[in-house]
Amino acid sequence: MTEPDPSANGGGTDAPANDGGTNAGASSSDHGSGTDAEATPSLAASDDVPSDPEALRAELGQIKRAVGLAESHPYWWRMWLVEGLGVALLFPLFNVGFVYGFSIPVVGGLLAVFAGHQYALYRVQRAYDEPTTGIPDWGRWHLGFFAGLFAWIVGLSPVLDAVPGLAETPLIWVGAGIVMGVAFFYMGQLLGAYHIRSADRNAFYLGGSWLLAVSAALPWLPDTVQDWAFATLGLAYGLYCLVAYVVLARR
């Protein structure tokens, strides 16, 4: 009777083991490839995140407004000092030109003050750290403001020529002051939409009220003062700007 060969049994036992190891390796390989497949979409998704800091700031501001977490921010209050000094010099110089004519020294002074005023405004605006919610565009607001003044002056000019004695009244400057006052009220409303603090919004509201009051008082001033109505309007505006600067600088 022939004995069974042990090596044959061993070979039978080893073969399944080797197959199992192979299957296990294949299974782990499958799992590994699955992990890589899952990681790939997450990397691709990260590519969609905007890398522009300005875009991120704008998106953050939109999120804050949407969930009601927008904070109250100060406006660039140093502009009140620049505006006050600039207008308090520009308006009287213009009035000198209206009364005595625009000579070369007057025109040179106007250009120099205007250039310095614009440069100072530019420096102040560059130093201002804007909130993530943004602020109204100062240049566009000024463009609309001066467009309103220009439209008022152009539209009223033929009326002044047609009505005797009307040109001697400060009517044209009354209307100019009213346009300025309304523009200030409008800016106060805009700042509220951008979550600017109430102190800065109130500065524009009070400034608009002050301009309306001064404009309404111009026709009631003595005749000698009415010849300098534009200078009076500018000095009154400049005085308010300096007061607003002092008050806001302490907050």
Side-chain angles (χ1 to χ4, degrees):
M1 187 174 190
T2 306
E3 294 290 335
D5 188 0
S7 63
N9 292 335
T13 305
D14 293 341
N18 292 336
D19 291 343
T22 304
N23 292 336
S27 176
S28 67
S29 175
D30 292 340
H31 287 301
S33 62
T35 304
D36 294 340
E38 293 175 356
T40 303
S42 65
L43 293 175
S46 65
D47 295 338
D48 297 334
V49 178
S51 57
D52 185 9
E54 294 298 327
L56 289 174
R57 284 167 57 90
E59 185 176 352
L60 179 59
Q62 293 175 359
I63 294 173
K64 285 185 175 183
R65 287 196 296 268
V67 300
L69 294 179
E71 303 172 357
S72 295
H73 298 275
Y75 196 55
W76 46 303
W77 45 268
R78 288 185 178 88
M79 72 92 187
W80 289 105
L81 178 62
V82 179
E83 280 284 279
L85 293 177
V87 172
L89 292 174
L90 280 173
F91 279 36
L93 278 175
F94 267 114
N95 212 147
V96 170
F98 297 144
V99 174
Y100 299 108
F102 288 93
S103 60
I104 294 178
V106 173
V107 173
L110 285 171
L111 292 176
V113 173
F114 180 76
H117 173 258
Q118 292 300 308
Y119 177 73
L121 274 181
Y122 170 77
R123 292 295 301 269
V124 170
Q125 193 170 16
R126 286 289 301 271
Y128 174 60
D129 186 17
E130 293 187 11
T132 57
T133 52
I135 57 172
D137 189 275
W138 181 259
R140 292 179 182 176
W141 179 74
H142 257 91
L143 181 62
F145 162 61
F146 286 117
L149 286 178
F150 181 75
W152 164 254
I153 293 172
V154 171
L156 187 64
S157 295
V159 178
L160 294 178
D161 296 334
V163 179
L166 191 60
E168 285 73 31
T169 68
L171 178 61
I172 191 169
W173 308 128
V174 172
I178 291 174
V179 171
M180 292 173 63
V182 172
F184 268 61
F185 274 105
Y186 180 63
M187 176 57 90
Q189 289 287 97
L190 284 179
L191 292 178
Y194 285 83
H195 299 282
I196 300 298
R197 63 181 181 175
S198 60
D200 293 281
R201 299 199 308 269
N202 291 335
F204 278 94
Y205 291 142
L206 292 175
S209 302
W210 173 246
L211 287 170
L212 292 178
V214 172
S215 301
L218 288 178
W220 303 94
L221 298 176
D223 293 340
T224 54
V225 179
Q226 289 187 12
D227 292 337
W228 299 91
F230 196 58
T232 302
L233 185 63
L235 292 174
Y237 173 73
L239 176 63
Y240 173 78
C241 288
L242 294 179
V243 173
Y245 168 76
V246 172
V247 173
L248 293 175
R250 296 179 178 180
R251 291 183 175 269

